[in-house]
Amino acid sequence: MSWRDFLAFVDGSEDGLARMKMAIDVAAAHKGRLEALVLVELPAPAVPVGQGMINEVLDEAIHKRRIAGQDAVEALQKIAAGASNVSVASWEVPNGQAREAAARAARTADLVIFGKPETLDDSDLDTDIFVGATLAGGRPCLMLPRWINPHSWGRRAVVSWKGTPEAARAVQGALPFLKQAEAVRLIVANPRGERDGEDEAGIARAVAYLQHHDVKVDGPVVRESWEGPERMVVSETEGFNADFLVIGAYESSRLQEEVFGGVTARVVRDATIPVLMAH
């Protein structure tokens, strides 16, 4: 498989600019085009707006958001200067509709890139982009850490395997990266058995699939422990000195509180390396 269209959700922060540089490198490495998108979430009144001071306050807040969006676009365009395969745009999004906007944008990309969700600015925008693109975008998503300076990554990869559609989609979506890695390790935490494709034969099929795609994969690591699977994933990632992780994105009924269910939420929270996910 090959990628041609890349989408990166970016902003004018230090880590947003670093993410832009890394996204440009990813698109160039795969000879594709990159759309860098700034979502500008416009505030809305909590109550019906009348006249006078409430209108003035709301108008001023909207104006500030638009100016910040314009400044971000200009800063990103400077980084992209001279790159014919890169475009920078902004979308104005009504308050509360960022998830839907992120999903719409993601559906026409081969790979979606965004930052690790943070709430340092008391905004849920990063989380809304993350949830919307990953759960409703229908495309593999690459989450980058909040690096201030671009980092190299992808040399040593860990694949967290489960016999689920989410894990299968994540592995397929990650193939262009995995084929370039120097070493790949497939791990299975607390395997559930033959019915779920996580017995010895099922795991061997997953390894064979990667090998058929010329991925330099080690023999699988299968671990059973009282620890939660997320701790085993993190432990194996650290032990392998990995700089890239592939994992399925699992939704739970407590989406609002946890972003994603159990393992995904904790891996995302603790991630210090790029993580490719698919739902």
Side-chain angles (χ1 to χ4, degrees), residues 199-238:
D199 61 335
E200 184 176 344
I203 296 169
R205 287 178 63 86
V207 172
Y209 174 80
L210 290 170
Q211 292 173 336
H212 294 162
H213 285 275
D214 299 321
V215 175
K216 303 178 186 68
V217 60
D218 290 351
V221 173
V222 181
R223 285 184 57 186
E224 296 189 44
S225 171
W226 58 269
E227 290 183 298
E230 70 279 0
R231 286 304 313 152
M232 287 187 277
V233 170
V234 172
S235 175
E236 288 295 333
T237 300
E238 294 173 348

Side-chain angles (χ1 to χ4, degrees), residues 30-50:
H30 295 273
K31 300 179 181 179
R33 63 176 294 275
L34 170 67
E35 178 186 15
L37 186 58
V38 179
L39 290 190
V40 180
E41 193 170 33
L42 299 182
V47 296
V49 175

